[in-house]
Amino acid sequence: MVTGASSPIGSEVALRLGDAGYSLALLGFRHPEALARLGGVLDRRGVEHLCLRTSLHHQEGVDRVLAWLESEGIGPDAVVSLAASGVMRPLGELSAHHLDWTFGVTSFPIALLGARLRPRKLVAISSTGAVRAVAGYGAVGAAKASMEALLRYLAVELAPATSVYGVRVGLVDGPAAERLSNFSKVRERVLSATPMGRLVTPEDVAELVAVLVREPLEMLTGTILDLDGGMGISI
Ligand SMILES: NC(=O)c1ccc[n+]([C@@H]2O[C@H](COP(=O)([O-])OP(=O)(O)OC[C@H]3O[C@@H](n4cnc5c(N)ncnc54)[C@H](OP(=O)(O)O)[C@@H]3O)[C@@H](O)[C@H]2O)c1
């Protein structure tokens, strides 16, 4: 199952997993057209898939997903979590409602879904903003940091049946990144601080997720892997 499959990165992840032979349960929310586009490509490639459009915010959203999976007879072998949402403003401009929404979509669903579904593999996409302060990214960054902590607890609670990984992704070009304030300045700074000399792409993320889902990697769990071309270690 892939949450956030309607996103550019989520769609690439779904395509890569489909090419690797997995049948897919795909979740999206506000952009059904993106999910339909992805479904069309998967149809042409002969990949079996089902789609559900729902908000993961609050218990009702999570319950809807669990009921859907049960009604379709799906017990996912792997859950890949990319659903995220948040208001890109300085913390001083945010209300409790904004923070509730951001954490409710970006952080909590992994714990609620992971602990109930207990898949063989659980992979969640975090971001550099979980450990670095990026202007206007405080709410999402903090929600991603809390999600990373939840992953560590899930790794302990669900072992040895489930292996849990976080992938902390650096800046990826696309509409979501462009919503950052000072996007072009941030982009320039990230690029110049990246030893590999380019930004991360959706294909890079999909490739690593596919490896994490496919390979046994038995002793790797509770780990957050930085996928940022070395940006986080350069000064
Ligand atoms: N772009 C970057 O630079 C970057 C860097 C690091 C990590 N990431 C992470 O990579 C993932 C994908 O990001 P992206 O840039 O490709 O696109 P994105 O627009 O950030 O993707 C967000 C995804 O979450 C879904 N979503 C939003 N609100 C939801 C809700 N209430 N319930 C359920 N799902 C909801 C969206 O579905 P709908 O669009 O259908 O509403 C979309 O599929 C995210 O977790 C993001 O934080 C991105």
Side-chain angles (χ1 to χ4, degrees), residues 188-196 228-235:
E188 208 178 291
R189 283 176 56 194
V190 169
L191 200 50
S192 68
T194 302
M196 294 308 279
D228 64 357
M231 195 268 292
I233 51 162
S234 82
I235 47 169

Side-chain angles (χ1 to χ4, degrees), residues 138-162:
V140 183
K144 292 283 192 188
S146 112
M147 184 192 73
E148 291 186 5
L150 289 169
L151 291 177
R152 285 185 283 274
Y153 279 89
L154 285 167
V156 173
E157 291 184 16
L158 304 186
T162 303

Side-chain angles (χ1 to χ4, degrees), residues 9-229:
I9 300 175
S11 294
E12 199 56 45
V13 166
L15 291 172
R16 187 65 62 102
L17 292 175
D19 287 346
Y22 291 92
S23 301
L24 302 170
L26 304 171
L27 303 188
F29 179 37
R30 288 198 177 113
H31 293 98
E33 72 291 350
L35 219 45
R37 209 165 36 239
L38 171 62
V41 180
L42 291 168
D43 277 337
R44 288 193 289 283
R45 294 186 186 185
V47 178
E48 203 181 320
H49 63 278
L50 291 170
C51 297
L52 177 69
R53 227 193 118 198
T54 184
S55 174
L56 283 168
H57 189 235
H58 285 324
Q59 187 68 47
E60 307 91 82
V62 172
D63 287 344
R64 209 170 300 129
V65 175
L66 295 172
W68 175 66
L69 290 172
E70 198 179 337
S71 71
E72 296 290 351
I74 300 169
D77 174 62
V79 172
V80 184
S81 167
L82 296 104
S85 182
V87 185
M88 303 274 202
R89 288 190 211 151
L91 293 178
E93 294 177 20
L94 298 182
S95 65
H97 171 76
H98 291 136
L99 291 167
D100 171 76
W101 172 262
T102 307
F103 277 70
V105 177
T106 309
S107 176
F108 303 156
I110 191 70
L112 300 168
L113 288 171
R116 279 159 187 77
L117 292 170
R118 295 178 168 260
R120 185 183 57 89
K121 296 279 186 157
L122 187 58
V123 185
I125 305 303
S126 185
S127 76
T128 303
V131 290
R132 298 286 196 92
V134 182
Y137 195 75
V140 183
K144 292 283 192 188
S146 112
M147 184 192 73
E148 291 186 5
L150 289 169
L151 291 177
R152 285 185 283 274
Y153 279 89
L154 285 167
V156 173
E157 291 184 16
L158 304 186
T162 303
S163 299
V164 179
Y165 318 109
V167 179
R168 193 186 289 140
V169 176
L171 190 69
V172 178
D173 272 326
E178 282 163 22
R179 285 202 300 273
L180 285 171
S181 45
N182 296 324
F183 166 68
S184 49
K185 206 180 261 176
V186 172
R187 186 183 190 285
E188 208 178 291
R189 283 176 56 194
V190 169
L191 200 50
S192 68
T194 302
M196 294 308 279
R198 65 172 177 82
L199 296 185
V200 180
T201 63
E203 290 78 9
D204 293 320
V205 182
E207 196 173 336
L208 179 54
V209 169
V211 168
L212 293 172
V213 167
R214 191 183 60 225
E215 301 298 329
L217 301 166
E218 192 159 350
M219 292 307 282
L220 189 71
T221 194
T223 307
I224 313 294
L225 299 161
D226 280 301
L227 184 71
D228 64 357

